[in-house]
Amino acid sequence: MKNKHYKLRIICFSLISITLFSCSNDFLDVTPDSKLTTGNAYNTAEDLNNALTGAYRTFYDEYYQWDNVLLGDVRSDNAYAGGGGDAPIVAYDELNISTGNNRMFANWSQLYRGIARCNTILGKIGGVNDPALEVNDLRKKIIGQASFLRAFHYFQLVKTYGGVPIELNSNSTDPAVINLPRSTEKEVYDQIDKDLQVALINLPDRYSTDAKENKARPTKGAANALLAKIWAQRSDRDYTKVLQYCNAVISSPAGYSLLTDYAQLFDGDHYYNSESILEISFLGDNWDVSNWGVQLFLAPEDGWQKYCVPSKNLINAYNAQNDVVRKNASVVFWDNLPWADENWNPCQDNSIAVPFAYKEKHPNGWNSGDHPYLLRLDDIILLKAEAQNELNDLAGALTTVNQIRTRVSLPNLTASSKADLKTKILNERRLELAFEAQRWDDLVRYGVATTVMNSLNEVKYTCGSGTPSAAVSINYNCTNEKWLCPIPQLERDANPNLTQNPGY
């Protein structure tokens, strides 16, 4: 169940997130500054830099700290809701999300708020004539970053809700301007592509020799990586373009490369590594710039059940491949817990161990400095293998995917057919990217979300007099309509031009 610390935490972050901009000369310093709003003039390079710093603040909101993992992993076969029965998140797990789900409204609002910040920068920068903007291509870098960030937020929206309103101007209060109808999925993806082409033109391969700066801000590598992902995820996917953009990342002058040791990706000692393309740079030890989401996934010592409990199906998938390296880096088991778990330990038997998501390992009492990855090389390598297979280059696809398996000491894959290899690549992505908000998107992209969810043999239990009940089957009742989430009813109340997704 949610405890009082979590509730206080959410209140604090909700208050902070309504601040539109932040101010600092250092892009990692996100201390709020009330001087800069959409109504103020933008006269200097410093004003725009401060606004850009505020735009990065969206990555500190609930969606990127928490809900993207809930939607990507709890909604899939990777995890149970946990949390002691928190209704909105149980709805994620059971694929029973209502139009009034408060998390849906929060996610929508936070992502559009991030888009608004980018819109303001892109709308204002053309009118600023400060010579400082021409030094070291600062104007281009600001345009590139704001364009990328807007594209990244729209990607989250379109893969969650389908077609959404395309807001490119955020300074109007005129209902005729702001109450936009939904664009089609294709139109949203086309806008994302357009923004990323602008980002490609304006972003550098590297900002400096400082790895921190190159990994915490989008670069050409990040733009190419996101282009690969959008051309794979959209319904009218184009695997020739996916392969093109994957190759651009892999051969980038930025010099991306796989770490030798998979576990180092998540040990907290190797941030800004060669495999990272873009990560959220939390500072830790300061609640305003810390990764509080870790506390909701891990930290059993504070006495309440956490969210995103790894599923038996996922554990079985690791065990079936004898994938010890990635399992140990992704999941940790604890016994002697002071609560019951309806899936793993219903009678609170202290000798039974319960798993926790373990990609982020250092909760630090709501003040973690753990860095979640937004984009990393192994995702792109596996996406390349997927594209090669779809383009009938099975031998090339096997060579590509086996790079990922070799790193974790697993034998090379073989495949009897294109369909066989497609299934194996999907499984490889699951084991490699668990708890990184990828699984649901993969199931949808492969067209198997309904089949996978309805074929699960997952169960839960109750406990009576110290004895577990008979297993109660979990029926997900997945339909293709549930591949998308409902448009939040509060948004539809505010904007009568918003139509609802089928099935809601």
Side-chain angles (χ1 to χ4, degrees):
M1 60 183 295
K2 294 182 182 179
N3 66 6
K4 62 182 180 181
H5 302 294
Y6 163 63
K7 292 179 179 177
L8 176 62
R9 197 67 169 178
I10 296 305
I11 291 169
C12 292
F13 272 90
S14 297
L15 291 172
I16 290 167
S17 64
I18 64 173
T19 303
L20 189 58
F21 293 118
S22 306
C23 180
S24 172
N25 292 325
D26 184 340
F27 73 98
L28 291 177
D29 179 355
V30 291
T31 305
D33 188 323
S34 60
K35 296 177 183 177
L36 207 55
T37 71
T38 53
N40 298 140
Y42 284 68
N43 299 312
T44 67
E46 183 180 8
D47 290 341
L48 290 164
N49 256 331
N50 292 338
L52 182 62
T53 301
Y56 279 97
R57 191 171 188 80
T58 301
F59 288 137
Y60 287 13
D61 282 346
E62 283 181 70
Y63 176 82
Y64 286 107
Q65 293 222 28
W66 193 28
D67 273 80
N68 64 332
V69 177
L70 298 179
L71 288 168
D73 289 276
V74 168
R75 193 163 44 141
S76 78
D77 52 350
N78 275 0
Y80 312 118
D86 190 3
I89 298 170
V90 170
Y92 284 6
D93 185 21
E94 296 181 351
L95 304 180
N96 189 29
I97 305 171
S98 71
T99 60
N101 187 297
N102 58 10
R103 306 215 62 81
M104 286 290 98
F105 176 67
N107 296 337
W108 177 287
S109 301
Q110 288 165 17
L111 290 167
Y112 269 110
R113 187 160 51 241
I115 288 166
R117 294 167 177 173
C118 298
N119 288 344
T120 299
I121 294 166
L122 294 169
K124 297 287 187 180
I125 193 168
V128 178
N129 297 314
D130 186 345
L133 284 173
E134 314 314 322
V135 177
N136 295 323
D137 290 328
L138 179 59
R139 184 188 298 272
K140 291 180 63 178
K141 290 173 182 175
I142 292 174
I143 291 171
Q145 290 172 80
S147 297
F148 176 92
L149 294 174
R150 183 166 71 181
F152 200 90
H153 300 326
Y154 269 121
F155 182 47
Q156 309 309 309
L157 284 164
V158 71
K159 64 191 180 69
T160 303
Y161 300 103
V164 294
I166 301 175
E167 294 183 7
L168 303 179
N169 301 284
S170 298
N171 293 321
S172 176
T173 58
D174 182 353
V177 175
I178 61 177
N179 286 344
L180 298 173
R182 298 175 65 182
S183 297
T184 65
E185 182 211 62
K186 181 181 184 302
E187 288 168 337
V188 178
Y189 273 115
D190 286 347
Q191 176 60 45
I192 295 170
D193 181 86
K194 183 178 179 180
D195 273 342
L196 291 174
Q197 298 304 331
V198 172
L200 271 181
I201 292 170
N202 288 281
L203 290 174
D205 291 303
R206 303 182 187 88
Y207 291 93
S208 69
T209 58
D210 183 359
K212 177 190 299 184
E213 191 172 7
N214 298 330
K215 307 297 184 178
R217 289 204 263 186
T219 57
K220 284 188 190 301
N224 278 315
L226 189 53
L227 279 162
K229 290 179 74 67
I230 69 159
W231 279 105
Q233 199 66 36
R234 55 191 293 166
S235 297
D236 58 341
R237 56 189 52 88
D238 185 334
Y239 276 108
T240 299
K241 289 185 177 180
V242 174
L243 184 59
Q244 169 195 337
Y245 291 121
C246 286
N247 282 334
V249 175
I250 292 166
S251 62
S252 167
Y256 303 114
S257 62
L258 295 177
L259 294 184
T260 303
D261 184 354
Y262 179 85
Q264 287 182 348
L265 286 162
F266 310 103
D267 64 6
D269 295 325
H270 295 85
Y271 300 132
Y272 316 117
N273 58 69
S274 64
E275 191 167 331
S276 172
I277 299 172
L278 184 65
E279 61 194 70
I280 304 178
S281 183
F282 289 107
L283 302 183
D285 295 322
N286 179 335
W287 70 271
D288 189 33
V289 290
S290 293
N291 182 356
W292 51 266
V294 186
Q295 196 83 16
L296 301 172
F297 296 136
L298 195 57
E301 67 271 9
D302 59 5
W304 58 286
Q305 186 190 40
K306 298 310 174 79
Y307 300 90
C308 198
V309 176
S311 69
K312 293 180 179 178
N313 188 272
L314 176 63
I315 300 304
N316 290 340
Y318 280 117
N319 292 341
Q321 290 287 310
N322 195 27
D323 192 349
V324 176
V325 173
R326 288 184 295 197
K327 177 183 174 183
N328 289 344
S330 305
V331 178
V332 63
F333 282 81
W334 260 296
D335 56 15
N336 200 31
L337 296 174
W339 65 80
D341 183 289
E342 65 179 357
N343 301 104
W344 287 92
N345 186 10
C347 292
Q348 197 177 330
D349 182 338
N350 289 340
S351 68
I352 296 177
V354 174
F356 293 79
Y358 202 43
K359 285 283 176 75
E360 299 171 33
K361 295 177 167 59
H362 309 95
N364 195 28
W366 304 97
N367 289 298
S368 176
D370 282 355
H371 292 196
Y373 296 101
L374 296 172
L375 297 165
R376 65 183 178 96
L377 180 63
D378 64 324
D379 178 9
I380 302 306
I381 290 174
L382 288 169
L383 205 55
K384 176 181 177 177
E386 181 180 320
Q388 289 173 304
N389 188 54
E390 292 297 322
L391 296 171
N392 299 309
D393 180 10
L394 275 65
L398 281 168
T399 298
T400 301
V401 73
N402 284 330
Q403 295 177 55
I404 302 299
R405 290 177 64 83
T406 297
R407 196 242 303 253
V408 293
S409 301
L410 292 179
N412 285 345
L413 288 178
T414 59
S416 59
S417 66
K418 178 178 175 179
D420 179 39
L421 183 52
K422 182 175 183 176
T423 298
K424 289 177 177 176
I425 292 172
L426 177 61
N427 189 58
E428 200 65 30
R429 288 185 60 83
R430 183 186 194 187
L431 303 179
E432 181 78 14
L433 298 165
F435 312 121
E436 295 183 59
Q438 300 291 331
R439 179 62 172 172
W440 184 260
D441 296 344
D442 289 349
L443 294 177
V444 169
R445 185 174 70 258
Y446 275 64
V448 298
T450 298
T451 301
V452 167
M453 296 307 295
N454 288 339
S455 64
L456 288 174
N457 185 27
E458 292 283 10
V459 298
K460 57 186 176 181
Y461 307 86
T462 58
C463 183
S465 303
T467 303
S469 69
V472 178
S473 296
I474 303 173
N475 189 344
Y476 292 96
N477 293 312
C478 187
T479 65
N480 290 13
E481 292 172 335
K482 293 182 179 180
W483 292 11
L484 294 175
C485 293
I487 304 298
Q489 187 58 44
L490 285 174
E491 284 298 325
R492 297 192 66 218
D493 291 342
N495 178 1
N497 293 320
L498 286 178
T499 58
Q500 186 55 272
N501 281 326
Y504 294 100

